[in-house]
Amino acid sequence: MSEYPDYHLLVPTERASFNTCFYCGCIASEYDFAPPLKYRDFFLSTQEPADFVKIPSCRECFEHLKSCKAGALEERRVYAKKKLAKKYEKALNIFEMWTEEELAALDFSLSHSIAAGLKLGLETTERLNFPGFNYEAAGINHQVHYHLSASFDVFGESYSSFREALDYASKAYRIPKITLKEYYAEHGNSFEKAIHAVHQETAAKEFQKQLTTLCQQFAKQHKQSVIFVHKQVERYLTEDDTLSISQALGKLYDERIHPAATRKR
């Protein structure tokens, strides 16, 4: 009789998947339980959703899942993936930010360090993308249908991985990868929205820089307070968004500076 009669062993239906961690594809050395053994009585008494399966697991996923209380196999799979992503976040960032071509341009010591991160990042990405495998439990065959994101789109260009899309978008639109990645996360996981946001912010900064420079030059030329000139020009621009900075400065001269100078004569 089984040591755990309420649980059914999850057995791969294909030989290639024997001794494989269901969660990440590494070599299995442990068994995870869904639900955890210490919560067995709770799930039996409450009838909360639980699969009652014994799952081949690698040591690392097994350790991560010790803190997971979920009784469903899918919930535990998601939990294990999140833990792996968190643990290897630095390596994943390196994998997303660097390519082999960029690596070749670095000096040896930095190249060696980045290369190690690339390798670990690639391995982690493969583990995170591992879909599981078809299995049999309690005499019933189960087909696994975990689908990864089909593509990442960048203004009509489609890529099968985030890394490829990030590399293309960074080069095509001249935005540093680290900046683009942050904006991507902040703008609905959309490259198009992220690129628009970066360009709008860049344009706004360039406008403010130009505004400050021209107002300072104008104030010096006409012996006016820089703060006064800046505020008046901003008011003109707010009232009429068709004006350029130069036109707003011209309006300030015609309406305020020149009349005041004329009165003093």
Side-chain angles (χ1 to χ4, degrees):
M1 180 179 286
S2 171
E3 184 180 0
Y4 307 107
D6 298 308
Y7 292 81
H8 298 285
L9 179 62
L10 186 155
V11 180
T13 55
E14 297 177 5
R15 184 180 296 275
S17 299
F18 286 0
N19 300 317
T20 299
C21 174
F22 181 80
Y23 300 116
C24 75
C26 287
I27 296 174
S29 59
E30 313 289 337
Y31 284 108
D32 178 48
F33 289 83
L37 292 173
K38 62 182 176 180
Y39 299 117
R40 166 185 170 276
D41 291 342
F42 167 79
F43 280 94
L44 286 173
S45 62
T46 62
Q47 298 298 302
E48 286 291 305
D51 291 320
F52 284 95
V53 287
K54 183 179 175 182
I55 310 111
S57 170
C58 68
R59 184 68 189 179
E60 189 170 21
C61 287
F62 176 78
E63 291 295 331
H64 286 322
L65 286 162
K66 282 183 177 180
S67 56
C68 180
K69 300 178 181 179
L73 177 60
E74 170 61 6
E75 291 179 274
R76 299 185 72 76
R77 186 189 75 89
V78 171
Y79 187 91
K81 301 280 192 186
K82 287 182 177 179
K83 284 289 188 178
L84 287 173
K86 181 64 177 178
K87 180 177 180 179
Y88 297 109
E89 183 177 9
K90 184 176 180 180
L92 287 170
N93 282 333
I94 291 175
F95 180 69
E96 291 170 350
M97 296 297 172
W98 292 87
T99 63
E100 295 295 338
E101 293 76 14
E102 293 167 335
L103 193 64
L106 303 176
D107 62 60
F108 176 77
S109 58
L110 183 56
S111 174
H112 182 72
S113 175
I114 297 297
L118 273 175
K119 183 175 183 295
L120 182 57
L122 173 60
E123 292 172 355
T124 304
T125 299
E126 290 174 344
R127 293 176 72 186
L128 293 176
N129 290 342
F130 182 70
F133 46 74
N134 297 331
Y135 64 90
E136 179 270 330
I140 300 174
N141 288 326
H142 298 263
Q143 300 291 316
V144 173
H145 300 291
Y146 297 139
H147 296 290
L148 302 175
S149 178
S151 65
F152 295 88
D153 298 323
V154 186
F155 293 108
E157 298 291 334
S158 295
Y159 295 87
S160 60
S161 74
F162 176 77
R163 183 184 188 232
E164 292 174 325
L166 181 66
D167 185 56
Y168 165 77
S170 174
K171 291 175 180 176
Y173 296 93
R174 300 184 179 183
I175 302 172
K177 287 182 182 178
I178 189 168
T179 299
L180 186 55
K181 184 178 179 181
E182 291 174 356
Y183 276 69
Y184 176 87
E186 293 171 359
H187 292 80
N189 293 335
S190 166
F191 277 109
E192 296 179 5
K193 291 180 181 178
I195 291 167
H196 276 310
V198 171
H199 285 172
Q200 286 176 350
E201 186 172 304
T202 300
K205 288 180 179 178
E206 182 59 35
F207 179 83
Q208 286 300 321
K209 181 180 179 181
Q210 184 181 21
L211 177 62
T212 298
T213 299
L214 292 178
C215 285
Q216 288 176 341
Q217 293 173 348
F218 182 92
K220 182 177 181 180
Q221 179 184 354
H222 298 287
K223 298 180 174 58
Q224 299 292 317
S225 163
V226 174
I227 295 177
F228 164 73
V229 172
H230 202 288
K231 286 187 175 181
Q232 289 301 313
V233 169
E234 282 191 327
R235 182 170 68 83
Y236 288 145
L237 293 174
T238 300
E239 292 173 348
D240 185 354
D241 59 11
T242 66
L243 291 178
S244 66
I245 297 174
S246 295
Q247 289 172 327
L249 286 168
K251 185 174 181 179
L252 173 59
Y253 178 81
D254 292 338
E255 293 185 357
R256 304 290 293 274
I257 308 301
H258 182 65
T262 302
R263 287 194 296 270
K264 290 181 180 178
R265 292 173 185 170

Coordinates of all heavy atoms in Angstrom, one line a residue, residues 3 11 13 19 25 30 51 58 63 78 82 94 132 136 140 144 149 156 176 195 205 210 226-229 242:
E3 N 2.4 4.8 0.9 CA 2.6 5.6 2.1 C 1.6 6.7 2.2 O 1.2 7.1 3.3 CB 4.1 6.1 2.2 CG 4.4 6.8 3.5 CD 5.8 7.3 3.5 OE1 6.6 7.1 2.5 OE2 6.2 7.9 4.5
V11 N 3.0 10.4 -13.4 CA 4.0 9.7 -14.2 C 4.0 10.2 -15.6 O 3.0 10.2 -16.3 CB 3.6 8.2 -14.2 CG1 4.6 7.4 -15.0 CG2 3.5 7.6 -12.7
T13 N 4.2 10.3 -19.5 CA 3.7 9.4 -20.5 C 4.7 9.1 -21.6 O 4.5 8.3 -22.4 CB 2.4 9.8 -21.1 OG1 2.5 11.1 -21.6 CG2 1.3 9.8 -20.1
N19 N 12.3 11.1 -14.8 CA 13.3 11.8 -14.0 C 13.5 13.2 -14.3 O 14.5 13.8 -14.1 CB 14.6 11.0 -14.0 CG 14.5 9.6 -13.6 OD1 13.9 9.2 -12.7 ND2 15.2 8.7 -14.4
G25 N 12.0 21.4 -15.7 CA 12.7 20.6 -16.7 C 14.1 20.1 -16.2 O 14.7 19.4 -17.0
E30 N 13.4 14.9 -6.1 CA 12.5 14.9 -4.9 C 11.1 14.7 -5.5 O 10.8 14.7 -6.6 CB 12.6 16.3 -4.2 CG 14.0 16.8 -3.9 CD 14.7 16.0 -2.8 OE1 13.9 15.4 -2.0 OE2 15.9 16.0 -2.8
D51 N -5.4 18.7 -6.1 CA -5.2 17.6 -7.1 C -4.8 16.3 -6.5 O -5.0 15.3 -7.1 CB -4.2 18.1 -8.2 CG -4.7 19.2 -9.1 OD1 -5.9 19.1 -9.4 OD2 -4.0 20.1 -9.4
C58 N 12.8 18.9 -9.0 CA 14.2 19.1 -8.7 C 14.4 19.6 -7.3 O 13.4 20.1 -6.7 CB 14.9 20.1 -9.7 SG 14.3 21.8 -9.6
E63 N 12.5 23.0 -2.8 CA 12.8 23.9 -1.6 C 11.9 25.2 -1.7 O 11.3 25.7 -0.7 CB 14.2 24.3 -1.6 CG 15.2 23.2 -1.2 CD 14.9 22.7 0.2 OE1 14.5 23.5 1.1 OE2 15.2 21.5 0.5
V78 N 3.0 27.8 -11.1 CA 3.1 29.3 -11.2 C 4.0 29.8 -10.0 O 4.9 30.6 -10.2 CB 1.8 30.0 -11.2 CG1 1.9 31.5 -11.1 CG2 1.0 29.6 -12.5
K82 N 7.7 31.8 -10.3 CA 7.9 33.1 -9.8 C 9.1 33.1 -8.8 O 9.9 34.1 -8.8 CB 6.7 33.6 -9.0 CG 5.5 34.0 -9.9 CD 4.3 34.5 -9.1 CE 3.2 34.9 -10.0 NZ 2.0 35.3 -9.3
I94 N 20.6 40.5 -17.2 CA 21.8 40.5 -18.0 C 21.5 39.8 -19.4 O 21.9 40.3 -20.4 CB 23.0 39.7 -17.3 CG1 23.5 40.6 -16.1 CG2 24.1 39.5 -18.3 CD1 24.5 39.9 -15.3
G132 N 6.3 21.8 -18.8 CA 5.8 20.6 -18.1 C 5.7 19.5 -19.2 O 6.3 19.6 -20.2
E136 N 0.4 10.7 -16.6 CA -0.8 9.9 -16.2 C -0.8 9.9 -14.6 O 0.2 9.8 -14.0 CB -0.5 8.4 -16.7 CG -1.6 7.4 -16.3 CD -1.3 6.7 -14.9 OE1 -0.1 6.6 -14.6 OE2 -2.3 6.4 -14.2
I140 N -5.5 8.1 -15.3 CA -6.1 9.0 -16.3 C -4.9 9.8 -16.9 O -4.0 10.3 -16.2 CB -7.0 10.0 -15.5 CG1 -8.2 9.3 -14.9 CG2 -7.5 11.1 -16.5 CD1 -9.0 10.2 -14.0
V144 N -0.8 18.4 -21.2 CA -0.4 19.7 -20.7 C -0.5 20.7 -21.8 O 0.1 20.5 -22.9 CB 1.1 19.6 -20.1 CG1 1.5 21.0 -19.7 CG2 1.1 18.7 -18.9
S149 N 3.7 33.3 -24.2 CA 3.3 34.5 -25.0 C 3.7 34.2 -26.5 O 4.8 33.9 -26.8 CB 3.9 35.8 -24.5 OG 3.6 36.8 -25.3
G156 N 4.6 46.6 -35.7 CA 4.5 45.7 -36.9 C 5.5 44.7 -37.0 O 5.4 43.7 -37.8
P176 N 18.1 53.4 -24.7 CA 18.8 52.4 -23.9 C 17.9 51.3 -23.4 O 16.8 51.5 -23.0 CB 19.3 53.2 -22.7 CG 19.4 54.6 -23.2 CD 18.2 54.8 -24.2
I195 N 7.7 53.2 -26.2 CA 8.5 54.1 -27.1 C 7.9 55.5 -27.2 O 8.6 56.5 -27.2 CB 8.6 53.4 -28.4 CG1 9.5 52.1 -28.3 CG2 9.2 54.3 -29.5 CD1 9.5 51.2 -29.5
K205 N 11.7 67.3 -22.4 CA 12.9 67.8 -21.7 C 13.7 68.7 -22.7 O 14.3 69.7 -22.2 CB 13.8 66.6 -21.4 CG 13.2 65.8 -20.2 CD 14.2 64.6 -19.9 CE 13.6 63.8 -18.7 NZ 14.5 62.6 -18.4
Q210 N 15.4 74.2 -24.2 CA 15.4 75.3 -25.2 C 14.7 76.5 -24.6 O 15.2 77.7 -24.8 CB 14.7 74.8 -26.4 CG 14.8 75.9 -27.5 CD 14.0 75.4 -28.8 OE1 13.2 74.5 -28.7 NE2 14.4 76.0 -29.9
V226 N 14.9 86.9 -15.3 CA 14.8 85.6 -16.0 C 13.4 85.0 -15.6 O 12.7 84.4 -16.4 CB 15.9 84.7 -15.7 CG1 15.7 83.3 -16.3 CG2 17.2 85.2 -16.2
I227 N 13.1 85.1 -14.3 CA 11.9 84.5 -13.8 C 10.7 85.1 -14.4 O 9.7 84.4 -14.8 CB 11.8 84.6 -12.2 CG1 12.9 83.8 -11.6 CG2 10.4 84.2 -11.7 CD1 13.0 83.9 -10.1
F228 N 10.7 86.5 -14.5 CA 9.6 87.2 -15.2 C 9.4 86.8 -16.6 O 8.3 86.4 -17.1 CB 9.9 88.7 -15.1 CG 9.1 89.5 -16.0 CD1 7.7 89.7 -15.8 CD2 9.6 90.0 -17.2 CE1 6.9 90.5 -16.7 CE2 8.8 90.8 -18.1 CZ 7.5 91.0 -17.8
V229 N 10.5 86.7 -17.3 CA 10.5 86.3 -18.8 C 9.9 84.9 -18.9 O 9.1 84.6 -19.7 CB 11.9 86.5 -19.4 CG1 11.8 85.9 -20.8 CG2 12.3 87.9 -19.4
T242 N -0.2 77.1 -30.4 CA 0.4 77.2 -31.7 C 1.6 78.0 -31.8 O 2.4 78.0 -32.8 CB -0.7 77.7 -32.7 OG1 -0.9 79.1 -32.4 CG2 -1.9 76.9 -32.7

